[in-house]
């Protein structure tokens, strides 16, 4: 796939997947999705965190409508003594602020952003302090290519992650696509794992 066709292909894929998401994950379907995702996080991620025997810094996100959500799980982690940081709109970059699980999140000034906390600032390099990074996506394919909203926020933010930091993307099960289904550009950061309503999936990433 040539470079000139890649952005147009991504835009078309993004429109179609988001249309299907808005039609599918509403009301009861959205609540059921969030409950199933939370259950798999508790089964797959909680034991790994507990085995470390120390407080974690967990980077998550506040979902926009119909997006895969782990907000209830993140709230419980914050209340359990872990530091949860959520993204904030900082122009071309993501900023990161702590969320205590109690604060009512405020609407973001950025398009396609969820709500934001007002806790301690971790700055635009906040992912350098994270032990676990949970990202959103429009879709991910089984080669680890992530399709975001087209602004490159997470590709830039993930450049600050420490080597070996666990990176996990949440998507709906219908948004996990076949191997090489998505075009990958040089700036796209491969994703090693996704978690959907069906559970945790390790991906066959390629360079």
């Amino acid at each position: 796939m040539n470079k000139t066709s890649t952005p147009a292909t991504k835009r078309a894929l993004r429109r179609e997947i988001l249309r299907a998401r808005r039609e599918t994950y509403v009301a009861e379907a959205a609540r059921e999705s969030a409950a199933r995702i939370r259950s798999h996080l508790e089964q797959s991620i909680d034991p790994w965190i507990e085995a470390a025997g120390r407080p974690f810094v967990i980077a998550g996100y506040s979902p926009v409508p119909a997006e895969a959500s782990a907000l209830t799980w993140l709230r419980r982690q914050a209340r359990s003594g872990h530091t949860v940081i959520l993204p904030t709109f900082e122009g071309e970059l993501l900023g990161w602020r702590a969320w205590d699980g109690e604060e009512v999140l405020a609407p973001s000034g950025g398009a396609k952003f969820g709500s934001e906390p007002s806790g301690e600032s971790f700055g635009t390099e906040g992912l350098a302090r994270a032990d676990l990074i949970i990202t959103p996506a429009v879709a991910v394919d089984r080669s680890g290519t992530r399709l975001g909203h087209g602004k490159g926020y997470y590709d830039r933010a993930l450049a600050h992650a420490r080597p070996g930091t666990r990176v996990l993307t949440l998507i709906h099960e219908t948004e996990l696509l076949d191997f090489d289904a998505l075009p990958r550009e040089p700036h796209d950061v491969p994703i090693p794992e996704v978690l959907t309503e069906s559970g945790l999936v390790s991906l066959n990433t390629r360079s």
Side-chain angles (χ1 to χ4, degrees):
M1 185 174 299
N2 62 55
K3 289 186 178 180
T4 55
S5 69
T6 297
T9 302
K10 283 186 170 182
R11 285 194 295 272
L13 284 166
R14 189 178 292 114
R15 283 195 299 269
E16 178 59 24
I17 294 167
L18 289 175
R19 180 198 60 77
R21 175 189 286 181
R22 288 190 297 268
E23 292 177 356
T24 304
Y25 295 100
V26 295
E28 184 60 32
R31 289 189 289 272
E32 180 182 346
S33 166
R36 291 172 63 191
I37 286 172
R38 183 178 69 249
S39 176
H40 287 300
L41 285 166
E42 291 169 351
Q43 295 171 27
S44 302
I45 305 301
D46 281 10
W48 172 72
I49 293 175
E50 290 164 6
R54 60 177 176 82
F56 265 35
V57 175
I58 302 172
Y61 64 93
S62 173
V64 296
E67 194 166 49
S69 175
L71 202 60
T72 299
W73 182 84
L74 289 167
R75 179 180 288 109
R76 183 170 62 78
Q77 298 303 320
R79 291 172 174 173
S80 297
H82 300 289
T83 299
V84 171
I85 59 176
L86 304 179
T88 59
F89 177 65
E90 303 291 342
E92 295 299 312
L93 299 173
L94 294 179
W96 298 90
R97 287 187 176 272
W99 181 50
D100 63 4
E102 304 289 346
E103 176 192 4
V104 176
L105 299 171
S108 173
K112 307 297 184 182
F113 277 68
S115 301
E116 300 180 355
S118 61
E120 176 191 355
S121 174
F122 280 56
T124 57
E125 299 182 4
L127 294 191
R129 296 171 61 182
D131 301 292
L132 169 65
I133 300 169
I134 299 176
T135 83
V138 172
V140 179
D141 71 19
R142 289 183 179 273
S143 62
T145 301
R146 174 184 174 275
L147 179 67
H149 284 282
K151 300 296 184 180
Y153 283 107
Y154 271 92
D155 293 312
R156 291 188 292 273
L158 287 168
H160 298 295
R162 301 191 309 270
T165 296
R166 191 167 188 174
V167 178
L168 174 67
T169 294
L170 296 188
I171 49 174
H172 297 297
E173 54 195 339
T174 55
E175 296 160 2
L176 177 58
L177 309 181
D178 291 340
F179 191 91
D180 278 345
L182 296 172
R184 183 181 295 182
E185 296 180 274
H187 65 268
D188 291 328
V189 176
I191 296 299
E193 294 181 289
V194 298
L195 191 141
T196 78
E197 296 91 348
S198 296
L200 184 67
V201 181
S202 295
L203 303 178
N204 184 12
T205 57
R206 56 187 171 81
S207 58

